[in-house]
Amino acid sequence: MLTDYHLHLRPDDLSATAADHFTQANAERYRTVAGERGIAELGVSEHVYRFHQALSVWQHPFWREQATDDLDGYCAFVREQTDLRLGIEADFVPGAEDRIANLLGERDFDYVVGSVHFIRDHAIDMDDYSVWGTGRSCEEIWSRYFQTLAEAAKSGLFDILAHPDLVKVWGSERPRPEGDLRRYYEPAVEAVAESGIAVEVSTAGLRKRAGELYPAPAFLEMCVEAGAAFALSSDAHRPAEVGADYEQAIELLEGSGVRELCVFERRERRLEPIGAAIA
Ligand SMILES: [Zn+2]
Ligand SMILES: [Zn+2]
């Protein structure tokens, strides 16, 4: 069974309002593309920081600018007006674990996608508030990123660890450490093994400057060796991106000996065979 759990019903720009995108017609567009691509299990995971309730977790200026919508309105919309699984993409904010747990625990999500987009106050994948150009070396940024990812995994707050090597998002536009990158992956993979969190295989990296799947084959291989479970997603921000480039993701998974994917319901997880690849 193919899944696409990391979906956004709207693009990231602020002008993409909830009123325009949290509609039955829009959800139907995602469902239609999923159907065409043989994806049976579909869920949405809007960014937590677009909801004003997220300001109880973090007061970063980017979050303050983005927090315009009502989280409970989103949950009610997905549950009552769509047949999609109800998820959320929640950032890991070190030190705010209790507040994140409260925010998530008060709602009946099917799953929570945990992300690291920031190292402290600096963004990995945005030009605004960027960590790049702060004077830190790429070695330091990479090790801090994967240490934070390890903390996110071990926090127990999340079901799925999103885009695990997001730090490579800029491809050759930003410096990258030399040589075998496994030394950076190690703490995160250990945390995956210890926590049992599902590791996301995401095709979004193919649409970024990186031009690669998340995670890199070596990271995936280390996770397989550590006995990890996997979730498959596109991180689509528009209907046409649902299940985008899944052939490549499935090839990587199957080539690494992965035969099953995680399926979630009310934060319970089971494994289902991947099944036939898309024609
Ligand atoms: Zn993300
Ligand atoms: Zn996302």
Side-chain angles (χ1 to χ4, degrees), residues 6 8 12 47 49 89 91 113-117 125 162-163 166 200 235 237:
H6 188 153
H8 301 271
D12 278 338
H47 285 292
Y49 56 73
E89 180 175 9
D91 292 61
V113 179
S115 295
V116 174
H117 298 117
D125 62 339
H163 38 59
L166 180 73
E200 181 179 79
D235 205 348
H237 285 67

Side-chain angles (χ1 to χ4, degrees), residues 14-95:
L14 263 178
S15 61
T17 63
D20 286 344
H21 292 83
F22 298 171
T23 66
Q24 280 179 318
N26 194 37
E28 210 38 57
R29 282 180 212 118
Y30 283 71
R31 179 57 85 187
T32 302
V33 177
E36 288 164 6
R37 296 184 176 165
I39 301 162
E41 182 70 7
L42 208 61
V44 285
S45 56
E46 290 301 308
H47 285 292
V48 73
Y49 56 73
R50 298 202 67 166
F51 303 104
H52 60 77
Q53 287 90 341
L55 296 178
S56 69
V57 171
W58 205 25
Q59 289 278 336
H60 190 284
F62 175 70
W63 281 36
R64 286 209 298 268
E65 174 193 308
Q66 295 274 325
T68 55
D69 301 324
D70 177 42
L71 181 56
D72 296 305
Y74 159 70
C75 294
F77 159 71
V78 175
R79 283 277 181 237
E80 291 160 23
Q81 297 189 52
T82 79
D83 62 353
L84 307 174
R85 295 275 178 226
L86 174 60
I88 186 119
E89 180 175 9
D91 292 61
F92 176 63
V93 182

